[in-house]
Amino acid sequence: MVRSIRVVQVGLGAMGGGIAEVMARRDGLEVVGAVDPSPDYCGKDLSEVLQLDNNVGQKVQADMEEVLSQADADICIICTFSFLHEVRPQIIAALQHGCDVITIAEEMAYPQAAIQGDGEEIHRLALAEKRTVLGTGINPGFVLDTLLIALTAACTDIERIKARRVNDLSPFGPTVMRTQGVGATPEEFADGLQDGSIVGHVGFPQSMYLVASALGWELDEVKEERKPIIAEQRRTGSNIVVEPGMVAGCNHTARGLVDGEEVLVLEHPQQVEPGAAGVDTGDYVDIEGTPGISMAIKPEIPGGIGTIATAVNMIAPVLSASPGLKTMIDLPLPRAVLGDVRETVKQLQVAHDCTS
Amino acid sequence: MVRSIRVVQVGLGAMGGGIAEVMARRDGLEVVGAVDPSPDYCGKDLSEVLQLDNNVGQKVQADMEEVLSQADADICIICTFSFLHEVRPQIIAALQHGCDVITIAEEMAYPQAAIQGDGEEIHRLALAEKRTVLGTGINPGFVLDTLLIALTAACTDIERIKARRVNDLSPFGPTVMRTQGVGATPEEFADGLQDGSIVGHVGFPQSMYLVASALGWELDEVKEERKPIIAEQRRTGSNIVVEPGMVAGCNHTARGLVDGEEVLVLEHPQQVEPGAAGVDTGDYVDIEGTPGISMAIKPEIPGGIGTIATAVNMIAPVLSASPGLKTMIDLPLPRAVLGDVRETVKQLQVAHDCTS
């Protein structure tokens, strides 16, 4: 059996830490380095930080370059920031040390749609280094793009697609509450949108253009709208109470137009205790076409563990892919890799073998 | 722009005819030949047979070899039989004439699971001819395997998967009614299972082993069971009435075991007028794992148009794939190809380019 796949985890927050924990117990994977400058983690044993039973024998370090130069890693999982220009230096460092890259940075799910797009630069460097880069996650990366796209394979014609991801912010912390405007007055919400302190969902343009690219739609325009969800009843989160009349969350929508026609509508209302307003959480895709397809996942696929899972499960497809910056529509059908990851890499390499 | 993709359609039944009709109006595709020995079609204009507005200028011919030797085709869509040993000669003929192949033969969705397995022979020939072969369709090919597998990508751990495709046989003709045992007495149903005249669903082993292969499960065993669905109320189909006490359909289930544990349960109850018994038609996937995922598509994706769509939509992935016998888990994320098919082929070729 070939040596274990050597992984470096960059960023040990809720997502990065969860990914490292899952990787540590996957057959065929070895966590050979962990990077996080935070004093909570830096210098500590990774096993201690992740509360692992088995000791992976790695200390968390602050300096990514230093870790990469010692780790002889095959792939680097980057879970640090949301935006392309923020993760760009880390992706470049990983590529220059000969690593493939998976990142959950929302903008990297389809960098071609990024405002400060460095997708082309990263693609060229990945080609030069003969390495592969992928952005993924639950949303963007799966529910409102990859899964939706897979469903369209059963359609001959499509007039319009509407998809909705309805989740519950109750368990989340102060940062999420603030960026979604939870607890604000309607006036504060409006001001927050103005000054950019309230952002709603990050990733709609990525999902929109990923779907359009997969289906062969030329979008003229993507319209985004963020509206406050005003509580009519008192709503209670883990660390916040929203009184009636205050903002319980942000209903963020995006509309994609082709020749002036609305063909793709994505909706992501994020709020505290939606049940109080009789709202069922869930992931919904409605395809108006031939045939019409109406899909519901209730409750919604949880965002945290879903992002952790997609990142870990895409390791084998990325390792077996051709070089360059890839998206979820470039790679083979995603799947849970429950066995030895090296076996799936081998299986996919055989399936893609261009030399045969 | 490169020349149109030249397609030969083999078999013009409900599925093959529908596929040819959709291909005839797809940008970038040209139907350059049609094969069907049936006197209903043979010798007639394909446009007349398909009731097309535009004249594709092809006469339906009986002899596949003759059509292929004249057509200079890129790909051949074979919709003639269910079993591998039946479609084998047609697949071999297509490969020897330099065509890629898509077939809806159920056993070809995962030939490795076929009883009379010629998958290896077809794979070797496809490699030698540098061509690609794929088996697909709605089921097997999509609902109980491809779509189910895509959903698992959001899971870190899976204990068990149960999936159910509940459909309505009411619109189908005598052949389907007979092979599902509709209208039989319970005794006749039991005898029909014995003598093989009642078969239930064709394709469970293919879906089972495709899922297992994707997830990295080693199945010790697949148990199939066919039970009569006895009508408690009168049920009415387009050409049949089922009185109470008679068989309204076949509930066909398959169970996959790993180390004696049931990990994958697929159920496909096919019956006339399920609504009469208060049964909702639909496609259901329940993943017991981390996270648990419960998906419902109501009503079910229609089998006919769904099979037509998956076959046409997989043309671009097949044309851009490396040589060999492929399955749905070897190819990129499936999608509706609504634009020029040549553009999607180019897009996928760039994404897979091994030379870069």
Side-chain angles (χ1 to χ4, degrees), chain A residues 25-26 142 150 152-157 213-215 294 296-297 309 313 322 326 329 331 333 335-336 338 347 351 353-354, chain B residues 25-26 142 150 152-157 213-215 294 296 309 313 322 326 329 331 333 335-336 338 347 351 353-354:
Chain A
R25 54 185 172 81
R26 268 280 185 282
F142 191 72
T152 67
C155 301
T156 61
D157 300 273
S213 166
L215 272 49
S294 181
I297 296 173
N313 287 328
S322 62
K326 307 294 182 186
I329 65 171
L331 298 179
L333 186 73
R335 69 205 65 181
L338 304 173
Q347 181 187 42
D353 184 5
C354 303
Chain B
R25 52 184 173 81
R26 268 279 186 283
F142 192 73
T152 67
C155 301
T156 60
D157 300 273
S213 166
L215 272 48
S294 180
N313 287 327
S322 61
K326 307 294 181 184
I329 65 170
L331 298 179
L333 187 72
R335 68 204 67 180
L338 304 174
Q347 181 188 40
D353 184 5
C354 303

Side-chain angles (χ1 to χ4, degrees), chain A residues 83-85 107 110-118 202 205-206 224:
Chain A
F83 297 99
L84 199 159
H85 68 278
E107 270 194 337
Y110 194 70
Q112 298 84 330
I115 304 101
Q116 290 146 288
D118 288 317
V202 177
Q206 286 67 37
E224 286 192 75

Side-chain angles (χ1 to χ4, degrees), chain A residues 46-128:
Chain A
L46 182 60
S47 305
E48 180 195 338
V49 170
L50 303 179
Q51 297 164 335
L52 301 177
D53 311 335
N54 58 324
N55 184 353
V56 297
Q58 294 295 336
K59 278 210 183 311
V60 180
Q61 298 180 58
D63 184 338
M64 182 174 171
E65 285 282 345
E66 199 177 314
V67 170
L68 286 174
S69 56
Q70 296 157 358
D72 182 24
D74 301 303
I75 186 164
C76 197
I77 316 295
I78 300 174
C79 309
T80 51
F81 302 104
S82 292
F83 297 99
L84 199 159
H85 68 278
E86 296 173 306
V87 290
R88 175 179 165 277
Q90 299 172 322
I91 293 171
I92 290 172
L95 288 172
Q96 288 172 336
H97 283 84
C99 293
D100 287 337
V101 174
I102 291 175
T103 177
I104 61 169
E106 287 91 332
E107 270 194 337
M108 286 297 294
Y110 194 70
Q112 298 84 330
I115 304 101
Q116 290 146 288
D118 288 317
E120 192 49 39
E121 174 202 18
I122 290 170
H123 181 55
R124 282 197 307 272
L125 180 60
L127 291 179

Side-chain angles (χ1 to χ4, degrees), chain B residues 177-298:
Chain B
M177 297 300 172
R178 198 171 51 250
T179 56
Q180 300 295 330
V182 177
T185 65
E187 297 68 28
E188 290 166 342
F189 186 92
D191 296 342
L193 290 182
Q194 284 296 327
D195 63 30
S197 59
I198 294 174
V199 295
H201 170 58
V202 177
F204 268 140
Q206 286 67 36
S207 292
M208 279 274 170
Y209 285 104
L210 191 57
V211 171
S213 166
L215 272 48
W217 279 339
E218 295 278 349
L219 296 180
D220 324 320
E221 191 186 357
V222 169
K223 293 182 187 168
E224 287 191 74
E225 191 175 39
R226 298 166 184 81
K227 285 187 172 170
I229 300 169
I230 308 297
E232 294 181 354
Q233 312 80 358
R234 163 187 275 240
R235 302 206 195 177
T236 311
S238 64
N239 58 15
I240 195 164
V241 172
V242 179
E243 298 297 341
M246 306 292 273
V247 175
C250 178
N251 185 18
H252 193 166
T253 57
R255 299 162 188 282
L257 287 77
V258 172
D259 305 331
E261 285 290 314
E262 208 172 71
V263 294
L264 182 58
V265 180
L266 302 181
E267 192 177 352
H268 191 17
Q270 303 196 79
Q271 61 200 299
V272 167
E273 207 189 357
V279 174
D280 284 341
T281 65
D283 295 314
Y284 307 92
V285 176
D286 288 288
I287 301 174
E288 299 169 16
T290 308
I293 297 178
S294 180
M295 186 213 75
I297 295 173
K298 289 195 236 179

